[in-house]
Amino acid sequence: MKKVHNARHGAEAHLIRGFLESHGIEAVVRGDLLAGGWGELPVDLCAVWISDDSRFEEADRLLRDFLKGAPAQFPGAAGWSCPGCGEAIEGQFTACWQCGRQRPPA
Ligand SMILES: [Zn+2]
C-alpha cells in the first residue's frame, strides 16, 4: 500500500479514487485520523492509497495531471456550476468538490 494523495475531505478522496480506478489502478480511501502527529490538519482529512506499490509512479503522474486539470485527457469537457451550492467545477469532475452533488446531465 502506498499513499498517493492527501485529500481535504472525503468527497475529494472519493473522486480521486474513482479517477485512479478508471485507469485500472486499484485504490482505497482511508481516514488518516489514527496516524497521529497530524494535529493541525482538518479533522476530516482523508488519504487515497493504492494497493499495488509498483504502480505508484504511474498513479502519481496521472494524479498530477488530473489535479492540474489536464484538459487534453478530457476533450470537450466544459466546466459546470453545481446546482447544489453554486461552486464552479472543472469539466473533468463528475461531482461537486464542495457538497458532493453529482453533475447534472447536460
Ligand atoms: Zn456543490
Side-chain angles (χ1 to χ4, degrees), residues 6 9-10 21 24 28 39 43 60 64-65 69 72-74 77 82 84 95-96 98 100 102-104:
N6 284 317
H9 45 66
E21 290 187 341
V28 294
V43 291
D60 190 51
R64 241 182 263 268
D65 288 347
Q73 283 191 43
F74 302 96
C82 175
C96 176
Q98 199 70 254
Q102 292 296 308
R103 180 181 189 157

Side-chain angles (χ1 to χ4, degrees), residues 80 82-87 89 96-101:
W80 53 285
C82 175
C85 68
E87 181 79 1
I89 314 292
C96 176
W97 284 106
Q98 199 70 254
C99 66
R101 186 142 168 170

Side-chain angles (χ1 to χ4, degrees), residues 38-84:
W38 295 74
E40 291 175 14
L41 294 172
V43 291
D44 59 346
L45 184 76
C46 285
V48 183
W49 297 69
I50 57 169
S51 18
D52 184 351
D53 288 10
S54 68
R55 304 193 73 177
F56 177 77
E57 293 199 352
E58 182 188 357
D60 190 51
R61 183 166 36 81
L62 284 167
L63 267 186
R64 241 182 263 268
D65 288 347
F66 180 60
L67 296 172
K68 260 192 315 207
Q73 283 191 43
F74 302 96
W80 53 285
S81 297
C82 175

Side-chain angles (χ1 to χ4, degrees), residues 2-22:
K2 257 191 193 297
K3 184 162 68 179
V4 291
H5 183 75
N6 284 317
R8 285 163 296 175
H9 45 66
E12 179 184 324
H14 286 281
L15 280 175
I16 286 171
R17 181 183 59 82
F19 168 74
L20 289 173
E21 290 187 341
S22 75

